[in-house]
């Protein structure tokens, strides 16, 4: 007779071993390491909540401090590698294998450790893909999550940074796994229940509040006039042309410039109410002026942003908030919304090749892609129409099988040269060499060229939808690649032909006067301006204050 | 000064108007209509929980009975139209507009009412797409949901049919909407919290338990020997060839036959452990023998299936279950898993054209597609590799931009003739005429031809990945279309050439002896066999019992 409840029995054994450490569900911070050494078993699949923003940092430190003789060979399945401890666990031999989505600040160290054989990388995912695998072949055995507060029953209140917590806990709790939460406070009653207590096994009050990274704050003072020009082109040449009402913006100064031009430049074009009403977006501070100007009807968010708490609380008609007044974010559901309910994704990249394939993976850095592959992919399962989607589909000329179909607008916005005069356009992505050196099955591409519809640089917009051959696509990309070697390699006659056909459009073709592209057009030119625009509600983190 | 809390104030006004009807959150069943007439306002966007299986039927009846002079012009945003009341609300002028995903049993009446101008259809969606829009531009103002039980605080226990409830309630509750739940029982303490009480406004005990449709039960007695042959081809020609470990099956006898051949035919080929370990699937009774035989490691489900409760409870290592022992399903998360974490989707269709586009929309019926467009679309945001996905990508020859990439296996399994000798292969889909008559922007295609990788009929398998031109694809499809006009229109020489190249494979090419394709190969030949295989744990609904 097969035992069909091995997971359940194993769970009970773990809980029994740890019982002496807990008072109800509560465990003292001083016992965190002991709890992990007691509950974890070698080879466990462990999700350590490392989100885009919120970090289970106390539990990360505790995990990095366990005795590798007792806990080892762990398989980490986590969204983001943000903290040193996320890699320390590999260095100390506690963990061996890694499946993840994004590694921003740890990208260089991760690349070194992979090269040294200290980490076996399963794969780099887009967030929703990793979450999907939590329910199929990467279900966590133990999850270590972070919340704002907990009551004695283990009910968790996440506050605005709900982020990945619901999907992690659901996958773990309903497959007989163990859920351990660090919280900032223990309270008698949580302001609202974000995670039911029945899904949570242990709660630890951490000595300091969990770390949050203000990842989506961009200081308008750093926006350049080239970025203003590119933002004008995006608004007039893409948003207005297609009538984009539902969208997602990537992180960066390029898209922050667009947000800051809505109440000024876009308004002067009569676009209020005609573009940018519904957003799948974190509460970017740069969006405040557009919200105040009445451009924005709704914003659903993956996570929150530090300093935006009071502003969000005062604008409940715009944001998704709970009865307690604070935001309820949800990365899994917002990614689904971004994929299926948005007509446009616009973001930046580091490198793009002649076919439009782009990657943020460069030599010596394994960065991961976060949400971009999901947002920046045509949603082939989408069936509802919108004017923007239908027009993009018409321009693309259907699917080749005679069946008309819409298309998502996927815009890559990039200056032709990035930092240190590195060209953004290349013949061959660094991703190829990275794949070879790290033993990856495929080069780590962020957005595939056949999903990209527009490439926007300071030189103009290349509309790839209208290209009919690979040769045309290549020349369209070269035609906006400026003075990079790729740009200088253009076939001048063909590029002029593409311009005549409206496939390449320069600022002057769009009726944009480059002399107007000054910082004066920005609705806010500093963090202080954003605070002012918010009526004093926005409370920026210290590092963004210079007054 | 703009009022930024109009939704919140409107919500409070609705709650205040209804206060006299409620005792805490509880409202008497007799007051259900009065509650809806009090809470609803003309033009409201309303989500009436009509899932694939579970139905908020009592609230549907209550809504259909309100006074249209008080409540009218509603915009219904719901997954499934299953009950007559779902259309009655339009007939009575209570609702005017509809956005939905699936309308199985109501498809013909829906088509008539659309033609008569009684319903304005916004769009047909795939489930996850509609859920995505709940957070962007189709957020419900009022949601009417169904659960098993509730406590006085409004905490809901859904039991195994959690389905759409979490995503509906989250979208509504956190945008200041009103959530009304019908429950089968009022209890002192719910066995587990599926929906926190703070997210729920009113609870009504319905006079009878909510309706559940056993939509995924297929009686093995009705599986034909042609279906056995096709299942053998699927297993040997696709599952084994690609090493498919993670998959989703559509509903139907075709895929039920595959499930029932795993412990017999697939086992005889030595495939146990090599295929079909992880499933995104409702608990199909036809899967019981494969589970018992040790083929199946895990199953995550969109919803549950009637009669499977005790079996699931006794197999917790396989299913996702809660501390109470019953399943926790979740349609949104399982759809994400099906899209991103599965290597294969296989399902049936009603019509397929020469480019491989398929549709279940036929003249006079607007059926909708449910999950198929999402599962049956290449997940272009996917970045993790698997042997099956890599091989499909290699066969497809990359993306044309020189960048290697994987592909999802999307198999359409169809007998060349369906009921009443209607050919399944057609020159032109009925969807074209339906689009015209119903004023749709695009023909309602279930799965687009360029996402289909294999067409499987009783005549053989056409591998569309290996086709290099539209002409080859057409002949590959004609080459398995049997004696339909499309099949008879084949170019015999080209089809033989495709067969030589392994693009078309007949049963004999796969080493399948057609004489073996008998019902004797099925691991269960009746519902009673399934009960026996489950050790008496499966308790089929009455309509499936003939003993």
């Amino acid at each position: 007779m097969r035992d069909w409840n091995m997971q359940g029995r194993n769970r009970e054994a773990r809980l029994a071993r740890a019982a002496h450490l807990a008072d109800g569900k509560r465990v003292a911070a001083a016992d965190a390491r002991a709890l992990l050494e007691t509950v974890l078993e070698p080879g466990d699949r462990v999700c350590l909540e490392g989100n885009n923003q919120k970090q289970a940092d106390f539990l990360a430190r505790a995990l990095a401090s366990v005795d590798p003789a007792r806990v080892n060979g762990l398989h980490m399945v986590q969204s983001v590698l943000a903290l040193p401890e996320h890699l320390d666990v590999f260095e100390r031999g506690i963990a061996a294998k890694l499946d993840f989505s994004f590694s921003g600040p740890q990208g260089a160290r991760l690349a070194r450790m992979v090269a040294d054989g200290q980490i076996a990388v399963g794969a780099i995912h887009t967030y929703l893909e990793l979450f999907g695998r939590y329910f199929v072949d990467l279900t966590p055995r133990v999850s270590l999550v972070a919340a704002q507060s907990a009551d004695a029953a283990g009910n968790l209140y996440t506050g605005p940074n709900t982020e990945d917590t619901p999907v992690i806990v659901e996958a773990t709790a309903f497959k007989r796994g163990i859920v351990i939460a660090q919280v900032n406070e223990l309270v008698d009653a949580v302001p609202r229940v974000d995670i039911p207590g029945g899904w949570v096994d242990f709660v630890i009050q951490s000595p300091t509040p969990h770390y949050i990274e203000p990842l989506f704050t961009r200081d308008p003072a750093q926006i350049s006039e080239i970025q203003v020009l590119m933002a004008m082109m995006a608004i007039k040449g893409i948003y207005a042309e297609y009538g984009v009402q539902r969208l997602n913006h990537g992180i960066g100064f390029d898209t922050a410039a667009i947000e800051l031009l809505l109440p000024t430049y876009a308004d002067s074009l009569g676009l209020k109410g005609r573009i940018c009403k519904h957003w799948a977006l974190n509460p970017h501070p740069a969006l405040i002026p557009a919200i105040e100007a009445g451009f924005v009807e709704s914003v659903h968010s993956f996570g929150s942003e530090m300093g935006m708490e009071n502003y969000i609380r005062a604008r409940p008609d715009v944001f998704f908030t709970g009865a307690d007044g604070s935001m309820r974010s949800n990365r899994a559901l917002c990614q689904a919304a971004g994929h299926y309910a948005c007509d446009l994704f616009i973001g930046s990249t580091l490198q793009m090749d002649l076919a439009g394939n782009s990657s943020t993976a460069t030599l010596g850095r394994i960065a991961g892609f976060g949400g971009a592959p999901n947002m920046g992919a045509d949603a082939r399962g989408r069936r509802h129409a919108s004017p923007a989607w239908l027009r993009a589909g018409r321009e693309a000329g259907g699917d080749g099988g005679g069946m008309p179909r819409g298309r998502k607008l996927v815009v890559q916005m990039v200056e032709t040269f990035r930092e240190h005069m590195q060209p953004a356009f290349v013949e061959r992505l660094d991703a190829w060499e990275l794949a070879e050196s790290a033993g990856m099955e495929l080069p780590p591409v962020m957005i595939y060229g056949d999903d990209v519809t527009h490439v926007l640089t300071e030189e103009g917009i290349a509309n790839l939808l209208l290209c009919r051959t690979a040769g045309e696509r290549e020349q369209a990309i070269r035609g906006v690649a400026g003075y990079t070697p790729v740009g200088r390699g253009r076939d001048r006659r063909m590029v002029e032909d593409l311009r005549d056909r409206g496939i390449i459009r320069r600022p002057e073709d769009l009726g944009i006067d480059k002399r107007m592209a000054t910082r004066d057009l920005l609705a806010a030119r500093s963090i202080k301006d954003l605070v002012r625009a918010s009526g004093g509600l926005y409370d920026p983190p210290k590092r963004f204050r210079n007054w």
Side-chain angles (χ1 to χ4, degrees), chain A:
Chain A
M1 276 294 284
R2 173 169 162 189
D3 179 354
W4 293 94
N5 188 25
M6 289 172 61
Q7 292 166 10
R9 258 180 274 283
N10 173 270
R11 171 186 153 80
E12 294 310 320
R14 293 177 192 237
L15 293 177
R17 288 199 304 262
H20 70 285
L21 293 167
D23 171 17
K25 295 193 171 181
R26 295 181 179 179
V27 173
D31 291 329
R33 184 175 71 178
L35 178 70
L36 294 181
E37 287 180 341
T38 307
V39 163
L40 287 167
E41 297 180 359
D44 270 348
R45 208 180 285 132
V46 174
C47 179
L48 171 56
E49 188 167 19
N51 288 349
N52 209 323
Q53 298 144 279
K54 180 177 69 170
Q55 302 296 335
D57 56 346
F58 173 71
L59 292 174
R61 283 193 296 277
L63 184 65
S65 73
V66 300
D67 179 359
R70 295 184 61 176
V71 179
N72 49 61
L74 300 183
H75 179 180
M76 306 303 296
V77 290
Q78 69 188 78
S79 295
V80 176
L81 297 173
L83 308 176
E85 291 83 359
H86 293 159
L87 290 173
D88 293 347
V89 294
F90 292 93
E91 214 156 63
R92 296 200 59 233
I94 297 161
K97 190 171 178 190
L98 172 66
D99 278 278
F100 76 111
S101 290
F102 183 70
S103 72
Q106 302 297 329
R109 184 172 166 213
L110 174 61
R112 281 196 305 276
M113 290 177 67
V114 169
D116 292 351
Q118 287 178 295
I119 302 183
V121 171
I124 308 177
H125 306 74
T126 189
Y127 294 127
L128 195 56
E129 175 186 15
L130 185 62
F131 301 156
R133 292 189 75 186
Y134 287 170
F135 295 92
V136 179
D137 60 340
L138 291 184
T139 307
R141 193 76 194 113
V142 176
S143 284
L144 312 176
V145 302
Q148 174 60 34
S149 61
D151 64 18
N155 289 300
L156 301 184
Y157 170 61
T158 60
N161 287 89
T162 317
E163 305 198 37
D164 306 11
T165 315
V167 74
I168 295 172
V169 176
E170 178 152 354
T172 310
F174 291 97
K175 205 69 178 52
R176 298 285 193 273
I178 307 270
V179 175
I180 303 173
Q182 73 168 71
V183 298
N184 300 344
E185 302 171 87
L186 295 169
V187 296
D188 288 335
V190 290
R192 74 173 189 240
V193 176
D194 285 292
I195 308 290
W199 307 11
V200 176
D201 298 299
F202 298 104
V203 170
I204 304 177
Q205 183 175 16
S206 66
T208 51
H210 59 66
Y211 180 71
I212 304 186
E213 173 74 21
L215 203 60
F216 295 85
T217 300
R218 289 294 174 275
D219 185 345
Q222 294 186 45
I223 292 175
S224 70
E225 304 208 322
I226 288 197
Q227 284 163 333
V228 171
L229 174 65
M230 289 168 63
M232 292 169 76
M233 288 194 269
I235 289 169
K236 193 163 184 193
I238 300 176
Y239 291 21
E241 295 255 335
Y242 292 88
V244 174
Q245 290 286 26
R246 304 173 304 167
L247 71 166
N248 168 262
H249 275 187
I251 312 181
F253 291 101
D254 295 328
T255 45
I258 300 176
E259 292 154 20
L260 290 169
L261 253 54
L262 292 176
T264 57
Y265 181 66
D267 195 40
S268 76
L269 298 174
L271 294 174
K272 193 197 288 186
R274 291 183 43 220
I275 63 168
C276 299
K277 277 162 73 168
H278 300 286
W279 298 72
L281 194 79
N282 279 6
H284 290 188
L287 200 61
I288 291 171
I291 292 171
E292 296 302 305
F295 259 82
V296 176
E297 202 163 292
S298 72
V299 178
H300 187 256
S301 301
F302 313 96
S304 189
E305 185 66 3
M306 280 180 77
M308 288 289 280
E309 296 81 2
N310 294 336
Y311 181 73
I312 292 166
R313 191 179 293 274
R315 300 290 180 268
D317 282 351
V318 173
F319 297 97
F320 281 73
T321 58
D324 65 307
S326 81
M327 178 187 269
R328 162 93 175 181
S329 56
N330 188 316
R331 181 156 289 111
L333 296 176
C334 196
Q335 285 287 340
H339 184 68
Y340 271 128
C342 285
D343 289 325
L344 175 138
F345 165 78
I346 185 167
S348 306
T349 187
L350 289 182
Q351 281 194 337
M352 176 175 284
D353 71 12
L354 300 178
N357 297 303
S358 64
S359 184
T360 51
T362 52
L363 275 185
R365 285 186 60 83
I366 303 180
F369 309 125
N374 175 62
M375 315 284 235
D378 188 33
R380 298 170 81 86
R382 173 174 166 178
R383 293 295 178 269
H384 76 281
S386 70
W389 184 79
L390 287 170
R391 175 167 169 176
R394 278 194 306 273
E395 291 185 351
D399 71 346
M403 187 57 71
R405 169 171 198 174
R407 267 290 286 270
K408 180 174 216 174
L409 294 165
V410 175
V411 184
Q412 291 281 272
M413 191 174 186
V414 60
E415 287 183 61
T416 54
F417 287 94
R418 50 189 170 99
E419 291 181 310
H420 312 302
M421 288 303 282
Q422 289 288 311
F425 294 90
V426 295
E427 301 264 343
R428 184 182 158 89
L429 296 177
D430 285 358
W432 285 94
E433 274 168 273
L434 184 63
E436 214 164 291
S437 68
M440 297 174 180
E441 300 278 3
L442 300 176
V445 169
M446 180 172 69
I447 298 183
Y448 284 91
D450 52 3
D451 276 323
V452 175
T453 62
H454 296 77
V455 180
L456 196 172
T457 73
E458 72 275 15
E459 205 188 354
I461 300 172
N463 180 340
L464 304 185
L465 289 167
L466 295 170
C467 296
R468 288 295 169 262
T469 65
E472 284 188 2
R473 284 172 72 87
E474 178 180 330
Q475 290 302 326
I477 291 169
R478 287 189 190 273
V480 296
Y483 292 100
T484 62
V486 163
R488 284 184 276 122
R490 71 184 64 174
D491 175 331
R492 294 204 166 271
R493 232 190 45 193
M494 205 162 156
V495 166
E496 278 317 302
D497 177 55
L498 293 175
R499 191 173 169 192
D500 290 343
R501 288 161 57 195
I503 293 176
I504 291 177
R505 301 171 84 187
R506 310 284 180 217
E508 50 272 33
D509 303 337
L510 295 166
I512 292 173
D513 182 349
K514 282 191 202 176
R515 289 168 307 181
M516 276 192 56
T518 69
R519 287 181 36 84
D520 292 342
L521 264 190
L522 296 171
R525 286 177 281 281
S526 66
I527 292 281
K528 206 167 187 176
D529 282 352
L530 291 175
V531 174
R532 207 174 290 124
S534 75
L537 291 163
Y538 173 45
D539 178 27
K542 225 178 237 165
R543 74 165 99 156
F544 292 102
R545 291 170 179 275
N546 55 5
W547 65 93

